[in-house]
Amino acid sequence: MTRHISRRSFIAGAGATAAFPVRGRASSPANPDVIVIGAGAAGLAATRALRARGLGVVTIEASNRIGGRAHTDTSIFGVPYDVGAHWLHSAEENPFVEYAEENGFDVYEAPEEFDLYVGNKRATEEQAERYYAAYEAVVHSIARAGQAGRDVAPSVLVPDGLEWHALVHLVLGAYSMGKDFDAFSCVDWWSGNDGTDFYCREGFGTLVAHWARGIDVELGTRASRVVWDGNGISVETSKGTISAKACIVTVSTGVLAGGGLQFTPALPLATREAFNSISMGLYNHIMLQFADNVLGTSDDRYVHYLIDLQGDKPPRGAGLLTNVGGSALTLADVGGGFARELETEGAAASIDFARGELRRIYGSGIDRSFIKGHATAWGRNRLTAGSYASAEPGAFAYRKVLRQPVGERIWFAGEACSRHNWATVAGARESGLDVAAKVRAAL
Ligand SMILES: Cc1cc2nc3c(=O)[nH]c(=O)nc-3n(C[C@H](O)[C@H](O)[C@H](O)COP(=O)(O)OP(=O)(O)OC[C@H]3O[C@@H](n4cnc5c(N)ncnc54)[C@H](O)[C@@H]3O)c2cc1C
């Protein structure tokens, strides 16, 4: 039983580590000042802030719901299942925690302890000590490099081939960044905030949808092109062209890098480079439902296990969160290159993989209680093209480029634009508010 070392605790020297009514077309103005593309946390926050200041805003969303990557499903398992964001990170400063408490949601601190297994046995004290030592050594290497401004990949610094390396790689890479150790920058990693995590029993997506009640959004309206050649902006959408003075683009860098939204004339080269440089990681949930608490763990219990070393290949393993919210649901989350592999193989293969991992730890008896599973595929989702973004090695400077407007008419917002809370819902909201203030000042 221990805690993970966090980025900031390293510096502190602290040792170890639904559905709500949304729309009302009537109040979207015919000649808006601003068009907001995307109704995730960033677009919703920007919309509300601008409208509160009296600006005319049309917010369009390609899918048929708001929330984007923050969404809770209740239809698959009959209980809340966060298909995207689940952890309310940095709870001390996360406004969604306060909002939840004020609005009667059941939010609570995430237990940080975890069970550690080697095969089907609990790790011995000695094995656990070796894992903690390996984990600490890697965190310290990445943190030191990040702090020193070394914009390199962790793979450059961290020796592989050590007994617990694959698990450490999984926990700090795939499970946290959605990327393997060769695909993100130490400086970027270091720039991220962290702190205590909270859960919302009703689902983080449910909470976001509640927070966004009353914000008018044009659902089922996909933007295909932003034209900015004359004065102002025109956005071509699946439901016609809308013109305004400015536009806020909140779609992911994955969508932008993949050409899911076109710009005429083309955006400056540096901006286009930024879409590729602040690239999307992949992090997928594989959720397994059991009839009862067949794993015998406490609620929201993390389980880690020794993963076989596979040379320099991405670790083939999952981060387990058992008895999610006390619901007999268990998450087996995968990230990075291995998640990509599983996503290509499909949902059935992903579920088989997750069941196999649990079987190896808890025995085949778990099969008797198994009801069904579900696997997300955020990489194949063309409205996200990945899970969340981080800087490629050597590309940290592009974070700043992404935050710069183009022609004083096109602003980018969203999780990737947050300075310190990137890859989070709170960071997306913060970025939306930040950009809304700039747009208001510019107009
Ligand atoms: C599996 C997973 C787990 C995660 N876990 C956590 C977590 O535990 N905690 C946490 O805080 N964060 C987590 N995140 C990250 C978090 O969900 C995101 O950082 C955040 O929700 C992003 O918000 P956004 O507004 O920037 O983008 P989005 O939510 O992606 O919003 C952009 C919107 O634009 C829409 N769109 C795309 N293309 C178009 C178009 N052409 N026209 C119109 N609309 C378009 C999309 O449908 C989407 O609704 C997770 C994400 C995933 C995928």
Side-chain angles (χ1 to χ4, degrees):
M1 184 172 103
T2 189
R3 286 157 174 255
H4 292 298
I5 309 175
S6 67
R7 274 158 256 207
R8 299 296 147 190
S9 62
F10 164 73
I11 254 298
T17 72
F20 300 97
V22 184
R23 51 183 285 129
R25 191 182 172 88
S27 46
S28 283
N31 296 302
D33 299 298
V34 184
I35 300 164
V36 175
I37 304 178
L44 292 164
T47 302
R48 179 175 276 158
L50 289 171
R51 284 192 187 147
R53 295 291 179 155
L55 273 87
V57 183
V58 169
T59 301
I60 58 170
E61 165 58 49
S63 75
N64 285 315
R65 60 164 180 80
I66 60 161
R69 286 170 269 169
H71 178 61
T72 304
D73 175 277
T74 50
S75 65
I76 301 171
F77 298 112
V79 290
Y81 164 30
D82 284 321
V83 292
H86 181 58
W87 287 262
L88 281 74
H89 294 305
S90 303
E92 299 83 352
E93 55 183 57
N94 189 326
F96 287 103
V97 173
E98 195 181 339
Y99 180 87
E101 286 168 345
E102 283 171 359
N103 287 277
F105 284 86
D106 184 2
V107 281
Y108 57 99
E109 189 170 337
E112 284 191 338
E113 296 76 22
F114 58 90
D115 296 338
L116 186 64
Y117 276 85
V118 175
N120 62 357
K121 295 203 168 50
R122 288 288 186 97
T124 62
E125 202 61 24
E126 198 193 324
Q127 288 168 324
E129 285 307 324
R130 287 209 295 275
Y131 168 61
Y132 304 148
Y135 185 87
E136 280 189 33
V138 174
V139 168
H140 284 216
S141 300
I142 302 176
R144 257 193 301 271
Q147 211 183 0
R150 288 187 65 197
D151 199 4
V152 296
S155 55
V156 172
L157 310 164
V158 175
D160 54 14
L162 301 175
E163 184 194 12
W164 288 94
H165 180 77
L167 177 60
V168 174
H169 187 172
L170 176 100
V171 171
L172 290 168
Y175 197 48
S176 155
M177 305 291 283
K179 288 183 174 179
D180 301 314
F181 272 176
D182 59 355
F184 64 92
S185 145
C186 292
V187 181
D188 202 47
W189 183 88
W190 177 250
S191 75
N193 274 344
D194 59 8
T196 311
D197 288 337
F198 268 48
Y199 295 124
C200 175
R201 205 175 299 277
E202 295 87 348
F204 198 173
T206 309
L207 178 61
V208 169
H210 189 278
W211 161 78
R213 280 174 313 161
I215 302 178
D216 298 311
V217 174
E218 303 293 330
L219 297 175
T221 308
R222 185 185 173 102
S224 52
R225 183 176 298 276
V226 176
V227 180
W228 59 289
D229 53 355
N231 288 328
I233 284 282
S234 292
V235 178
E236 295 170 10
T237 83
S238 50
K239 295 190 179 165
T241 299
I242 316 166
S243 297
K245 295 176 188 149
C247 127
I248 300 178
V249 176
T250 74
V251 307
S252 76
T253 55
V255 170
L256 292 165
L261 182 59
Q262 300 284 320
F263 293 84
T264 302
L267 293 172
L269 180 62
T271 309
R272 285 181 279 141
E273 293 274 330
F275 303 155
N276 287 305
S277 302
I278 310 301
S279 62
M280 297 298 274
L282 183 60
Y283 179 86
N284 274 326
H285 297 308
I286 307 171
M287 184 66 103
L288 305 179
Q289 186 178 35
F290 295 97
D292 46 31
N293 182 8
V294 67
L295 311 182
T297 57
S298 51
D299 292 356
D300 300 299
R301 184 77 175 184
Y302 292 113
V303 176
H304 293 320
Y305 54 96
L306 181 69
I307 298 169
D308 294 338
L309 294 167
Q310 319 249 325
D312 54 3
K313 286 206 183 123
R316 301 175 66 84
L320 305 177
L321 180 65
T322 63
N323 282 324
V324 177
S327 65
L329 291 173
T330 282
L331 275 175
D333 285 350
V334 291
F338 180 54
R340 227 164 272 285
E341 243 180 73
L342 277 182
E343 200 177 279
T344 307
E345 288 178 35
S350 302
I351 294 163
D352 276 355
F353 159 77
R355 288 180 68 183
E357 297 299 90
L358 289 186
R359 219 179 276 126
R360 284 205 299 158
I361 300 170
Y362 297 100
S364 55
I366 62 154
D367 286 329
R368 281 195 293 279
S369 294
F370 179 69
I371 299 175
K372 65 176 171 179
H374 179 269
T376 61
W378 288 99
R380 274 188 292 144
N381 181 333
R382 64 193 180 116
L383 298 181
T384 57
S387 300
Y388 38 79
S390 56
E392 294 277 321
F396 178 65
Y398 281 104
R399 286 271 190 200
K400 205 169 162 193
V401 175
L402 204 55
R403 289 193 289 267
Q404 283 161 7
V406 172
E408 290 300 315
R409 273 170 288 169
I410 304 173
W411 274 265
F412 298 94
E415 55 94 4
C417 298
S418 167
R419 277 185 173 74
H420 301 295
N421 293 305
W422 38 261
T424 72
V425 179
R429 171 193 170 278
E430 166 200 291
S431 159
L433 292 178
D434 187 41
V435 160
K438 288 179 180 147
V439 170
R440 193 164 53 82
L443 295 185

